[in-house]
């Protein structure tokens, strides 16, 4: 028997599979693609966001991953979006991996910027899957195609 779409939608692949995600989630009111920071700020006023960027999977390793997250946190702050970043926090704590689960639980949404390596980063994929499973909005910024 084939599982209904709603059941399959929450059976996320373990590895990043953005084609699968778009197939099962595109058109749903919690997956948004191609938005600007200003558009997200207007939708998420007063909400804490989880910034999902690659950490140790980036080309420069964890240090560059944390620096990249810090730069995106500045961009979000300038757009009046309050955010936390697992990659930034892991970098400052000297951890080997970024753990997105606590940040996703504490946040009202997940924002994925077009940072180098975002498509292949397991920590970004995990943050997106956790948010969608918890029925929290996911925003793939313009440039994430």
């Amino acid at each position: 028997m084939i599982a209904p779409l709603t059941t399959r939608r929450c059976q996320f692949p373990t590895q990043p599979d953005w084609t699968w995600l778009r197939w099962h989630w595109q058109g749903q009111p919690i997956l948004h693609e191609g938005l600007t920071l200003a558009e997200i700020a207007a939708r998420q006023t007063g909400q804490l966001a989880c910034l999902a960027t690659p950490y140790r999977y980036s080309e420069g390793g964890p240090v560059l991953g944390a620096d990249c997250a810090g730069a995106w946190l500045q961009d979000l702050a300038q757009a009046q979006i309050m955010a936390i970043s697992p990659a930034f926090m892991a970098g400052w704590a000297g951890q080997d991996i970024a753990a997105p689960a606590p940040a996703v639980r504490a946040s009202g949404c997940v924002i994925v910027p077009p940072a180098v390596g975002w498509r292949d980063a397991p920590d970004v994929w995990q943050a997106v899957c956790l948010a969608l499973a918890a029925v929290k909005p996911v925003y793939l910024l313009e440039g994430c195609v």
Side-chain angles (χ1 to χ4, degrees):
M1 178 173 164
I2 298 176
L5 179 60
T6 54
T7 302
R8 287 191 312 245
R9 190 178 293 146
C10 288
Q11 296 172 346
F12 297 97
T14 55
Q15 298 299 312
D17 187 345
W18 299 97
T19 302
W20 178 92
L21 185 86
R22 286 181 173 101
W23 174 258
H24 288 284
W25 287 88
Q26 197 167 39
Q28 297 301 311
I30 60 172
L31 178 63
H32 309 277
E33 295 187 71
L35 275 69
T36 65
L37 288 178
E39 291 169 321
I40 296 169
R43 292 174 180 223
Q44 293 299 129
T45 303
Q47 294 280 334
L48 180 65
C50 171
L51 174 65
T53 57
Y55 180 50
R56 67 180 175 147
Y57 309 97
S58 68
E59 292 176 357
V63 172
L64 184 58
D67 288 347
C68 176
W72 277 105
L73 282 172
Q74 287 180 326
D75 290 346
L76 268 62
Q78 289 174 346
Q80 302 301 307
I81 300 170
M82 183 180 294
I84 54 176
S85 167
F88 187 78
M89 293 171 19
W92 278 96
Q95 297 172 336
D96 290 334
I97 60 170
V104 172
R105 278 193 302 272
S107 301
C109 70
V110 168
I111 299 173
V112 179
V116 173
W118 74 270
R119 283 182 190 89
D120 300 320
D123 45 351
V124 172
W125 179 252
Q126 184 183 12
V128 168
C129 294
L130 288 168
L132 292 173
V135 193
K136 294 182 179 188
V138 171
Y139 298 99
L140 302 177
L141 285 175
E142 59 184 355
C144 290
V145 204

